[in-house]
Amino acid sequence: MSNRSYTFTHAITRQPGRSIVDGLRAVDIGAPNHALFLQHHADYVKALESTGAKVTILPALEEFPDSVFVEDAALCLPQGAILMRPGTDSRLGEAATMAPVLADLYEEILTLEGPGTIEGGDILTTEREILVGTSERTNARGIEELRGLVARWGYKLREVQTPEGVLHFKTDCSLLDNETILSTERLAASGCFEGYRVIHTAQGEEACANAIRFNDLVLMPDGFPKTEEILREAGYDLRKIGNSEAAKLDGGMSCLSLRFSPH
Ligand code: CIR
């Protein structure tokens, strides 16, 4: 079996700008500290690079306060990239900014034309399928358009539901390997991971469900010792990354990069 869903030669990241203090958040617990965010971002990039991947660091885009969360603007598959259609006004323009960057790496770039919307945070690509959660940002029309686009590359897409009150599908889950998903109990209880092995986040540590498997490493946010122990015992090679500032804006490990291996 291939490991294309977590083996990557490339990643794209974008530095947080000073306008990060204006980023969207569900609950206001204070603005992120720009200097500390930069430090966490550098640690994150270093961990990705340590696996041998080529990591592009794009300059900050002050006009888009949430643009550090590059994952939402595109879906990158081995065969090509698809520009998403973020479902909130202040982020809609982010997708177009990714077009020239991806054009250097891919021959084929498709665009979700709308009127539906999808953000990359609602998409979990596994070895066997692409799961897309409907949420406040991602709707059924967007999902149907994406289904048509990925069909040409042979992907099966399954519509699932992001839990009520949760920003994105992947806020609550991550891929750990070919058959294993890290998930909050509330998401797994919906039955959407039937046929997969599921590892639950520890009680009270639901906020660390957004991790990433990147080549041999699993990057997870710092500060979740019980889940860390569970994952270490399961044999994963963990790297803990400070995430306090991104978390103030409902962001985690997956949001901070596009991860891919272009054919
Ligand atoms: C937003 O609300 O859009 C940003 N503050 C957070 C985006 C997080 N992205 C992700 O989970 N993929």
Side-chain angles (χ1 to χ4, degrees), residues 23-26 66 69 71-72 88 91 119-122 137 167-168 170-171 210 246 249-252 254-256:
L24 297 170
R25 64 207 79 171
D66 284 292
F69 303 116
E71 171 180 68
D72 294 316
T88 188
R91 304 202 60 191
E119 296 191 357
D122 279 313
R137 306 279 180 87
L167 176 61
H168 286 132
K170 273 188 301 189
T171 306
N210 182 271
L249 304 179
D250 312 313
S254 78
C255 328
L256 295 172

Side-chain angles (χ1 to χ4, degrees), residues 75 118-134 138 143 146 150 155-162 169-170 173-175 181 187 191-194 196:
L75 173 65
I118 302 200
E119 296 191 357
D122 279 313
I123 305 176
L124 181 75
T125 304
T126 77
E127 216 57 36
R128 61 188 94 151
E129 60 184 340
I130 298 177
L131 295 163
V132 190
T134 49
T138 293
I143 294 176
L146 182 63
V150 297
Y155 288 91
K156 271 191 295 186
L157 184 154
R158 178 154 62 96
E159 180 177 324
V160 289
Q161 236 179 327
T162 298
F169 186 65
K170 273 188 301 189
C173 66
S174 340
L175 183 81
I181 311 267
L187 176 58
C192 64
F193 299 129
E194 213 171 290
Y196 290 90

Side-chain angles (χ1 to χ4, degrees), residues 12-256:
I12 295 174
T13 64
R14 184 182 292 286
Q15 290 214 300
R18 293 193 174 280
S19 65
I20 193 73
V21 294
D22 297 323
L24 297 170
R25 64 207 79 171
V27 179
D28 195 358
I29 55 163
N33 176 295
H34 182 239
L36 186 54
F37 205 138
L38 279 173
Q39 209 174 303
H40 291 162
H41 196 263
D43 292 342
Y44 179 87
V45 167
K46 218 185 290 167
L48 299 183
E49 282 174 339
S50 75
T51 70
K54 176 168 171 24
V55 182
T56 302
I57 307 168
L58 300 170
L61 264 184
E62 298 295 350
E63 60 273 45
F64 294 107
D66 284 292
S67 56
V68 65
F69 303 116
V70 285
E71 171 180 68
D72 294 316
L75 173 65
C76 294
L77 296 167
Q79 299 86 347
I82 306 176
L83 299 177
M84 292 292 105
R85 228 176 149 261
T88 188
D89 288 350
S90 70
R91 304 202 60 191
L92 189 54
E94 286 179 34
T97 69
M98 277 298 159
V101 181
L102 293 167
D104 283 345
L105 295 150
Y106 278 107
E107 274 170 30
E108 197 165 6
I109 298 186
L110 308 176
T111 303
L112 207 83
E113 303 289 353
T117 59
I118 302 200
E119 296 191 357
D122 279 313
I123 305 176
L124 181 75
T125 304
T126 77
E127 216 57 36
R128 61 188 94 151
E129 60 184 340
I130 298 177
L131 295 163
V132 190
T134 49
S135 70
E136 291 283 312
R137 306 279 180 87
T138 293
N139 56 32
R141 291 183 85 171
I143 294 176
E144 282 323 301
E145 190 183 348
L146 182 63
R147 189 192 300 283
L149 295 179
V150 297
R152 77 186 64 194
W153 296 326
Y155 288 91
K156 271 191 295 186
L157 184 154
R158 178 154 62 96
E159 180 177 324
V160 289
Q161 236 179 327
T162 298
E164 192 73 27
V166 172
L167 176 61
H168 286 132
F169 186 65
K170 273 188 301 189
T171 306
D172 265 32
C173 66
S174 340
L175 183 81
L176 291 175
D177 60 38
N178 280 336
E179 52 180 343
T180 313
I181 311 267
L182 173 68
S183 174
T184 60
E185 285 195 37
R186 70 182 163 208
L187 176 58
S190 72
C192 64
F193 299 129
E194 213 171 290
Y196 290 90
R197 180 167 80 117
V198 175
I199 296 180
H200 290 136
T201 50
Q203 281 289 330
E205 293 192 352
E206 289 72 15
C208 73
N210 182 271
I212 51 168
R213 175 71 191 266
F214 191 83
N215 297 322
D216 291 338
L217 300 182
V218 171
L219 273 63
M220 71 176 287
D222 196 10
F224 300 91
K226 290 184 275 179
T227 308
E228 185 190 334
E229 175 73 15
I230 294 169
L231 293 176
R232 278 199 205 286
E233 279 190 5
Y236 296 104
D237 189 358
L238 299 182
R239 291 294 179 279
K240 291 181 288 175
I241 308 288
N243 192 56
S244 56
E245 306 317 291
K248 291 175 184 165
L249 304 179
D250 312 313
M253 296 293 107
S254 78
C255 328
L256 295 172

